[in-house]
Amino acid sequence: MIGRNRFGIRAKIFAGYLVIILCLIVSIVVVNNQIASMQKERNFIINHDIEIHSLTNEIEKQVLDMENGQRGFIITGDESYLKPFNLAVNSLENDYKKLYGLIADNPAQQNRLEEINKSIHNWLQKTGNPSIQLKKENKDGEVLSLIKKDVGSQSVEQIRSQFDTFRTTEKGLTKERADRLDEQNKFLKTGLFSLLVIVVAVSSLIASFVSGSIINTIKAVVSSITAMSSNGDVTQRIHVKTKDEIKDLAEATNELLDKVEQREWLQSSTNQVVERYQGTSTIKVLGEKFVTGVAHLTQASMGALYIREGSGEQSRYVKKGSFSEPIGEPGREAFKQGEGLIGQCVSEKRILVVDRLPADYQVIGTGLGEVRPKSLLIAPVLNEQEVIAVLELASLDTFTEQHIELIENATKTIGLTIDSVIGRMEIVRLLKESQAMTEELQAQSEELQTQSEELQMQSEELRMINEQLEQRSIEAEGKSAELQNAKVQLEEKAKQLTLSSRYKSEFLANMSHELRTPLNSILILSEMLAENSSNSLSSEDEEFARVIHTSGQDLLNLINDILDLSKVEAGKLEMYFSEMNMSELPGQFERNFGPIADQKNLEFEIIKEKDVPDIFYTDEKRFQQIIKNLLSNAFKFTEEGKISLHIEKEPVFDLQNGADHLLKITVKDTGIGISKNKHDLIFEAFQQGDGATVRKYGGTGLGLSISLEFVKLLGGRLELESEEGKGSTFTLYIPSLPNGLAPVQELDEAVSEVAAAISPEVQEENKVLEELNKNDRPAAEQAPADISSFKGKTVLIVDDDHRNIFALKTALENEKIKVITASNGTECLELLEREQNIDMILMDIMMPVMDGYETMRRIRENEENSGVPIIALTAKAMKNDREKCLEAGASDYISKPLKIEQLFSVMRVWITNK
């Protein structure tokens, strides 16, 4: 739009400003030249005239200085008066030459200056120098005679007169130059005002020209727009001859008018299409009118409208209207989504335009012949984002953007109309059906009237019931508030119980340590006394020792039972599920309880069915403890008759918790029996049948309580059948769980530590051997049976309890072992520095000064002692203590109270390996 010769508004304004600036520049140059000339003249006056006056005065002063100096010397004879005289004489010639040069442009003044110079030299020759010379020669008479002649005074007066004439002439010249400078100043002012008037006039002319060219063009554009807006004729266009932004505005306005004209055509065409099918009540008529209207407006030569029938995957689009159908071949009558180009339009939900149609495409028939279309347009008709119809048009010309916009607008309105027409047709159909149903409803209304009366009566009854319910609801709310208060109290009690449980656990842990430490010495010494290896005790003393040992063992079992019960009550007992060999179980129980049966003259029968699998998955230790408790109770409360243990596989059970089969174990006796009202009581802690039973049979009443909890933790159940005087039958159901049970709760730290020390003493040695096998060491049971390997060996016992040291020292010395003792870790390290032949160290863990953990670490840090076996001994066997001891440097670990055989078994393994 911007031509090469374009002279825009900006260029016009810029040109005007440029001319004005040029005028200003010319004015400034002229004024500057004039000011420079005036400045030069002014500087000349300042520098030239003033210098002349100054030098004139200076020369005159020098003449006076010479006269005064000459007179002073003549009168006084003091040569100091000659100094100004000599200075004036010396400076006179220089000042004269300088002044003479300054008035070089004025020969008349130069002549006057020469006259003055002659007069000065004349005075010097005739008066000044001669009088001074005579004075120096002391010729005062001649000097006086010279003064009386007064020749010097006349010469001086003549010089002064000549200077006055010279100065007067210079002042006149200075005044002339000042007057000339004033004339130039007046001329400059006049020139400035003249230039200002000229610049203002030129600026006004340029502004008038530029603004006139802009305003006149804008007025022409505004008048054209006003004319178009007044009569509403948007076909009129604006014509501008100037090549500037106004022309751009006119062309942009013309483009806007083109778009407005197109939009008006689009709106009016859309209205024409809508008006054609307004009031249509059938789909067929609606389709015909719509296709015909759109085809006329888009100059299409052929068209069709397909409307959806059905829904979902069964829906298809059927032709409901057409324009200029072809002769002979009517085209496709229906299609489904995705079939062909028209089906793809349904899938993509957008208008498709094809301008290059193949040569064999459907032709447009006329009376004179057939014509092939050039362009094809397929448009979806959407309603609520669903394609409910498709419009297809074919034209001999290419569809323009304006045609496509018209079709977009038309399809937006036809969609709602199609939906409403289909809705109206459906309403008409439903209306007919409703009329048929109305008659049936009238017949049923009488029946409903009767039922309504009945319902009204029932409603009254319900109202009364509702009132009662509301009253009960109020009462329930009150009870709910009471329950909430009770809940708060229970939560407070629960907190107190939790705290109490923690205190109890800590107490039991400390009690275990304090009881096991002296019990260790009692069991070791009583066992040694009962053996009587030195034959120094009588049979009665041996019996006393056995009673002490048995009582100590009973006390240990009681401690274990109490700790077991505490752990069970807290619900934090760990179960370790692994496989166990069921084929060995009868033999174990026969060895454990056969002697007791023989002693009490009871029949003891163990039956294991053949279908019982050899491998069973459970916690073997707890499993055997349950059966042992049941058998112990049976033997305790049975005086005569029979006790049986029956192991069989339960054929029917509920597979849960990953169990692969279920065992049924029955322990039956012919003892005193239990009354039915006390079946639940015997499973409570510290409870037996009655006081007489306790006095007669003894016991703590913990076995069944612990057994029941163990059964629950193993996923089984325990049942009791008994009558007083007829014996008892305990039936145990235990599942085989290869994957174990998920833990219910995390173990409390204190209870867990105490529980780590709980294990039946009958299995303690097996536990040690298993740990030895884990570390790939020979099992203790494979060690030699004799104890000759101990002879001559040196063992260091580190313990702060002298009772334990005495018991262990006595037992080891009986086996010909050299024993060295230390009461804490520091003494142990000092002994190791002195003694180099120590074969084994028995290390207590809890000691003052330095505990066992730190002592073992210090020992292992010394390379000389890194191979010495260290067996850790402690009375407070906490959870993970074994791992902590091994990490600190222990070779093995045994919890107190010790068994001598167990200790010797472990010592044999390590001494043999060493």
Side-chain angles (χ1 to χ4, degrees), residues 685-700:
F686 307 105
Q687 296 290 336
Q688 291 186 355
D690 53 27
T693 302
V694 176
R695 290 190 297 273
K696 183 176 180 181
Y697 297 101
T700 59

Side-chain angles (χ1 to χ4, degrees), residues 780-819:
E781 60 188 15
Q782 295 174 350
D786 63 325
I787 59 174
S788 60
S789 57
F790 292 159
K791 186 175 181 180
K793 300 296 182 181
T794 302
V795 176
L796 171 61
I797 301 175
V798 185
D799 199 323
D800 62 324
D801 194 311
H802 295 287
R803 296 169 294 184
N804 287 336
I805 292 176
F806 174 75
L808 287 172
K809 184 176 180 180
T810 302
L812 295 178
E813 288 178 346
N814 288 338
E815 306 301 331
K816 309 302 181 183
I817 296 174
K818 179 183 177 181
V819 179

Side-chain angles (χ1 to χ4, degrees), residues 594-604 635 639-642:
I596 300 175
D598 295 340
Q599 183 181 0
K600 298 185 72 172
N601 294 322
L602 297 174
E603 183 181 353
F604 181 42
F635 279 102
E639 298 294 338
E640 59 182 9
K642 175 182 178 181

Side-chain angles (χ1 to χ4, degrees), residues 33-290:
N33 290 335
Q34 190 65 28
I35 291 173
S37 177
M38 293 174 63
Q39 185 68 27
K40 183 178 181 181
E41 188 69 24
R42 174 182 169 275
N43 292 337
F44 182 80
I45 293 172
I46 293 172
N47 297 327
H48 180 269
D49 293 4
I50 293 175
E51 183 69 15
I52 289 173
H53 290 293
S54 177
L55 289 173
T56 302
N57 293 331
E58 183 65 24
I59 292 172
E60 186 177 6
K61 175 179 175 294
Q62 290 171 0
V63 172
L64 294 175
D65 288 341
M66 287 188 296
E67 182 186 11
N68 292 331
Q70 178 256 348
R71 286 185 178 185
F73 178 72
I74 290 173
I75 296 171
T76 62
D78 187 0
E79 290 187 0
S80 63
Y81 285 100
L82 294 178
K83 288 182 180 179
F85 178 86
N86 293 328
L87 290 174
V89 172
N90 294 330
S91 300
L92 179 63
E93 190 65 26
N94 292 331
D95 292 340
Y96 168 77
K97 290 179 180 180
K98 191 181 294 184
L99 179 60
Y100 190 82
L102 290 175
I103 58 176
D105 58 339
N106 193 345
Q109 284 293 91
Q110 283 183 336
N111 292 331
R112 293 187 185 95
L113 183 60
E114 290 175 356
E115 291 293 331
I116 294 172
N117 189 35
K118 288 178 180 179
S119 298
I120 294 172
H121 282 88
N122 185 39
W123 178 83
L124 285 173
Q125 292 174 0
K126 292 181 178 183
T127 303
N129 290 331
S131 61
I132 292 173
Q133 185 64 32
L134 291 172
K135 183 65 177 176
K136 288 181 179 180
E137 295 175 356
N138 295 318
K139 295 179 180 182
D140 295 333
E142 293 179 8
V143 173
L144 181 61
S145 175
L146 185 60
I147 292 173
K148 287 180 179 182
K149 291 180 181 180
D150 198 18
V151 179
S153 298
Q154 295 175 0
S155 298
V156 172
E157 288 296 329
Q158 182 183 357
I159 292 171
R160 289 179 179 174
S161 175
Q162 289 174 342
F163 269 118
D164 291 339
T165 303
F166 183 84
R167 275 195 292 269
T168 303
T169 302
E170 284 297 327
K171 289 180 180 178
L173 293 174
T174 300
K175 186 175 184 301
E176 288 177 2
R177 294 188 186 99
D179 293 341
R180 189 166 58 251
L181 189 61
D182 291 339
E183 290 297 330
Q184 290 179 355
N185 189 24
K186 292 179 182 178
F187 177 77
L188 177 60
K189 289 181 180 178
T190 305
L192 278 175
F193 284 113
S194 300
L195 286 174
L196 180 60
V197 172
I198 292 170
V199 170
V200 170
V202 172
S203 301
S204 300
L205 290 174
I206 293 172
S208 176
F209 171 75
V210 173
S211 61
S213 63
I214 296 172
I215 292 172
N216 292 335
T217 309
I218 292 176
K219 286 181 178 179
V221 174
V222 171
S223 61
S224 300
I225 295 174
T226 304
M228 288 184 288
S229 61
S230 60
N231 54 24
D233 184 11
V234 295
T235 60
Q236 186 178 353
R237 296 295 180 265
I238 301 171
H239 302 284
V240 178
K241 296 180 180 180
T242 59
K243 295 181 180 180
D244 54 13
E245 285 80 358
I246 306 300
K247 185 174 182 179
D248 296 341
L249 175 62
E251 291 177 354
T253 305
N254 291 335
E255 291 180 1
L256 177 62
L257 292 173
D258 291 340
K259 292 182 180 179
V260 171
E261 185 178 1
Q262 292 176 5
R263 194 155 46 244
E264 285 189 356
W265 177 86
L266 187 63
Q267 186 64 38
S268 62
S269 300
T270 304
N271 293 337
Q272 290 179 21
V273 174
V274 174
E275 289 174 358
R276 290 179 68 91
Y277 59 74
Q278 277 186 350
T280 305
S281 59
T282 62
I283 291 295
K284 184 68 175 175
V285 176
L286 175 64
E288 294 287 347
K289 289 184 177 181
F290 177 73

Side-chain angles (χ1 to χ4, degrees), residues 823-870:
S823 60
N824 55 57
T826 303
E827 291 185 10
C828 171
L829 296 176
E830 293 175 354
L831 283 172
L832 287 174
E833 291 180 358
R834 297 194 301 268
E835 298 288 340
Q836 302 296 328
N837 298 320
I838 295 177
D839 298 295
M840 180 174 288
I841 301 173
L842 301 181
M843 180 72 66
D844 187 29
I845 298 301
M846 299 182 65
M847 295 183 296
V849 183
M850 183 184 294
D851 62 10
Y853 296 123
E854 183 62 24
T855 305
M856 289 188 289
R857 292 190 188 97
R858 297 282 186 89
I859 293 172
R860 293 309 184 198
E861 289 175 358
N862 189 343
E863 295 181 358
E864 296 179 358
N865 300 321
S866 59
V868 178
I870 302 175

Side-chain angles (χ1 to χ4, degrees), residues 335-344 346-347:
F335 68 90
K336 291 185 177 181
Q337 181 176 349
E339 293 181 356
L341 194 59
I342 191 169
Q344 187 63 28
V346 175
S347 300

Side-chain angles (χ1 to χ4, degrees), residues 217-442:
T217 309
I218 292 176
K219 286 181 178 179
V221 174
V222 171
S223 61
S224 300
I225 295 174
T226 304
M228 288 184 288
S229 61
S230 60
N231 54 24
D233 184 11
V234 295
T235 60
Q236 186 178 353
R237 296 295 180 265
I238 301 171
H239 302 284
V240 178
K241 296 180 180 180
T242 59
K243 295 181 180 180
D244 54 13
E245 285 80 358
I246 306 300
K247 185 174 182 179
D248 296 341
L249 175 62
E251 291 177 354
T253 305
N254 291 335
E255 291 180 1
L256 177 62
L257 292 173
D258 291 340
K259 292 182 180 179
V260 171
E261 185 178 1
Q262 292 176 5
R263 194 155 46 244
E264 285 189 356
W265 177 86
L266 187 63
Q267 186 64 38
S268 62
S269 300
T270 304
N271 293 337
Q272 290 179 21
V273 174
V274 174
E275 289 174 358
R276 290 179 68 91
Y277 59 74
Q278 277 186 350
T280 305
S281 59
T282 62
I283 291 295
K284 184 68 175 175
V285 176
L286 175 64
E288 294 287 347
K289 289 184 177 181
F290 177 73
V291 175
T292 302
V294 173
H296 283 311
L297 293 171
T298 59
Q299 299 177 358
S301 303
M302 185 170 59
L305 180 67
Y306 296 85
I307 298 177
R308 186 182 64 185
E309 290 185 355
S311 60
E313 296 181 356
Q314 302 299 324
S315 65
R316 63 185 194 135
Y317 295 83
V318 182
K319 186 191 293 184
K320 294 296 182 180
S322 62
F323 173 76
S324 182
E325 281 191 340
I327 302 171
E329 298 180 3
R332 183 179 293 186
E333 290 295 328
F335 68 90
K336 291 185 177 181
Q337 181 176 349
E339 293 181 356
L341 194 59
I342 191 169
Q344 187 63 28
C345 176
V346 175
S347 300
E348 296 183 6
K349 297 181 181 180
R350 66 182 183 90
I351 295 176
L352 301 179
V353 179
V354 181
D355 291 330
R356 296 181 181 180
L357 297 176
D360 57 349
Y361 188 75
Q362 179 67 50
V363 297
I364 300 172
T366 66
L368 300 177
E370 295 179 344
V371 182
R372 298 187 185 280
K374 291 184 178 179
S375 183
L376 178 68
L377 185 145
I378 305 173
V381 178
L382 299 176
N383 182 48
E384 296 181 355
Q385 300 301 319
E386 292 185 1
V387 181
I388 64 172
V390 181
L391 172 66
E392 182 175 2
L393 298 174
S395 176
L396 298 176
D397 296 323
T398 303
F399 288 101
T400 64
E401 292 294 332
Q402 195 171 6
H403 292 159
I404 295 174
E405 290 183 12
L406 172 61
I407 292 172
E408 288 179 350
N409 290 347
T411 53
K412 289 178 182 177
T413 59
I414 190 63
L416 182 60
T417 304
I418 291 173
D419 187 65
S420 62
V421 170
I422 293 175
R424 284 198 299 270
M425 293 174 66
E426 183 68 16
I427 290 172
V428 171
R429 184 184 66 80
L430 294 175
L431 180 61
K432 292 179 179 179
E433 293 180 359
S434 65
Q435 289 175 352
M437 295 174 63
T438 301
E439 297 178 359
E440 297 179 4
L441 292 174
Q442 288 177 352

